Amino acid sequence: MKSDAGDIMRLSAAALAVSYELEVQRPDFRTLLVSGLAVEQVNLIAHALAKAMAQEKPVRLFTGATQAPGQSNQDDSTSIHPLKSLVDVVPSGPVSLRRWLGEQAVDGRALVVTPNLLDDPISLAVAAVADGVLLLVQSGRTTRPMCRQAARVLADVSASLLGVVVVGR
Amino acid sequence: MELRDALSVLGRRWLPLVAILAVIVIGSVLVAADGYRHRPYQGSLQVFVWARSPASGISGNRSLESEAGFMAQDLASVLMSRSAASFVSHQPAVRAAGPSTADIQTAVRSSVSGRTVTVTVMESSAAKTRAVVLAERLAVEQRARFVGPVEAARSGARVIGISAPVRSSARSLVLALLVRLVLGLAIAIAVALAWDYLDDAVHDASEFERELGAPVLATIRSAP
């Protein structure tokens, strides 16, 4: 998709708004699952959100989580430091999602990104242990059955759906 | 569904709405234009009816006044009958006036007001209309052919007016056009709403909130 400065600014502004809302709703959250329902640009949006959230605390972005949290041993994260976030995302140290979830003492926050909540089995496993879920939906593409199924499966694992971000066409 | 929701749906489904509306508007205007070009001629015949004697054993003690009203109804039925239409269509003047757009029975209408029967003829040409009106007058005068001499003798029928053929007013065409346009708009709106109802995709932030039970924190118009 062709992007321009206006699109990037809009995305950044939306990410800041979401970050602010989450901060107000759950100031103590540590791990957030960012997942989509028929949205193509989940990683891109999550990246922008991580940058916005990094204004407050360091944020670790897990985008390559393809195994259940208890099984992943690889370094599948990048970290976004408050100062460096204005420049770029830097590769993180050797921190796996399992270690992150297990080590409560590690400072900062983590965004675990899964492209599709319903198709990716790790999504629900992470949702169950994360402090909250942020769902990205696409206007005109995400269907009512998808929404109902997502609400049902999240309720089944007692996940807390903190909010929704609507991506327009 | 609230009005605001409906307007939002129409804004979203503007393409089928406009497409259907355009087809209906163009079709309606073409039909109206064709109707205007080929609008028929209209002529009429007024017949006054009176009763000479009550029909014994059938109408009881009815007055001649009310008897005349019934006879006017009978005359109207006779003039609308197949046999009268056949009589009219076989008149030389009618045949000479050219082909009819419809059969005579369809072209002739009658209405009764008290003792007066009004026969209205609509034909494609002035000559044909005039010929049919005159043939209808002949049918009135020779009504014994259709009801028999005894029944014919009980009533009197006199033609009291013949109006010259005039072209039908365009008012009815305009009215029909307006009705078509209003119906077309209603159909287009119904199709757009039905389309949206049958579409499973969610479009509004409020609907996402309702379906997911969580607040919409932001809307990104388009991700780069």
Side-chain angles (χ1 to χ4, degrees), chain A residues 47-80:
Chain A
H47 198 127
L49 181 61
K51 277 187 155 183
M53 289 168 66
Q55 308 292 321
E56 298 290 329
K57 292 179 181 177
V59 174
R60 204 167 281 274
L61 189 65
F62 292 89
T63 56
T66 53
Q67 292 173 291
Q71 296 170 337
S72 173
N73 289 314
Q74 298 169 354
D75 171 20
D76 47 17
S77 73
T78 52
S79 70
I80 301 175

Side-chain angles (χ1 to χ4, degrees), chain A residues 106-130:
Chain A
V106 179
D107 188 33
R109 286 170 169 165
L111 296 188
V112 183
V113 186
T114 58
N116 197 317
L117 180 76
L118 300 176
D119 290 349
D120 193 348
I122 196 174
S123 299
L124 292 180
V126 174
V129 294

Side-chain angles (χ1 to χ4, degrees), chain A residues 20-75:
Chain A
Y20 174 77
E21 287 290 339
L22 291 173
E23 200 64 48
V24 170
Q25 272 192 47
R26 288 288 299 269
D28 57 336
F29 83 88
R30 186 166 175 270
T31 308
L32 180 72
L33 172 69
V34 180
S35 193
L37 285 179
V39 181
E40 286 172 353
Q41 296 143 319
V42 176
N43 280 339
L44 186 69
I45 296 167
H47 198 127
L49 181 61
K51 277 187 155 183
M53 289 168 66
Q55 308 292 321
E56 298 290 329
K57 292 179 181 177
V59 174
R60 204 167 281 274
L61 189 65
F62 292 89
T63 56
T66 53
Q67 292 173 291
Q71 296 170 337
S72 173
N73 289 314
Q74 298 169 354
D75 171 20

Side-chain angles (χ1 to χ4, degrees), chain B residues 10 38 43 53 73 87 97 103 109 113 115 126 148 156 186 191 205-206 219:
Chain B
L10 295 182
H38 298 105
S53 66
Q73 296 280 358
F87 171 80
D103 63 47
R109 288 280 173 270
S113 172
R115 294 176 169 204
V191 168
S206 59
T219 299

Side-chain angles (χ1 to χ4, degrees), chain B residues 29-40 167 173:
Chain B
V29 169
L30 288 177
V31 167
D34 190 60
Y36 184 79
R37 266 200 311 275
H38 298 105
R39 65 191 195 279
R167 257 193 143 168
L173 290 172

Side-chain angles (χ1 to χ4, degrees), chain B residues 39-170:
Chain B
R39 65 191 195 279
Y41 286 84
Q42 185 173 319
S44 64
L45 178 78
Q46 286 84 42
V47 184
F48 183 72
V49 177
W50 69 95
R52 290 197 172 105
S53 66
S56 58
I58 299 172
S59 53
N61 293 325
R62 281 206 295 254
S63 67
L64 288 179
E65 178 74 24
S66 61
E67 192 72 18
F70 281 98
M71 286 174 171
Q73 296 280 358
D74 289 344
L75 180 66
S77 302
V78 165
L79 294 175
M80 294 292 293
S81 69
R82 190 179 294 275
S83 55
S86 173
F87 171 80
V88 169
S89 61
H90 284 90
Q91 293 303 304
V94 173
R95 299 179 85 156
S100 175
T101 50
D103 63 47
I104 297 297
Q105 210 173 353
T106 310
V108 176
R109 288 280 173 270
S110 71
S111 62
V112 178
S113 172
R115 294 176 169 204
T116 306
V117 179
T118 302
V119 180
T120 307
V121 175
M122 291 181 89
E123 275 288 356
S124 55
S125 71
K128 185 86 176 181
T129 307
R130 186 180 299 110
V132 172
V133 168
L134 293 176
E136 287 287 344
R137 182 173 71 175
L138 201 61
V140 171
E141 289 166 354
Q142 297 183 18
R143 68 190 188 287
R145 279 170 171 260
F146 311 109
V147 296
V150 177
E151 282 296 313
R154 287 181 46 237
S155 63
R158 181 183 297 154
V159 175
I160 57 172
I162 291 179
S163 67
V166 288
R167 257 193 143 168
S168 302
S169 159

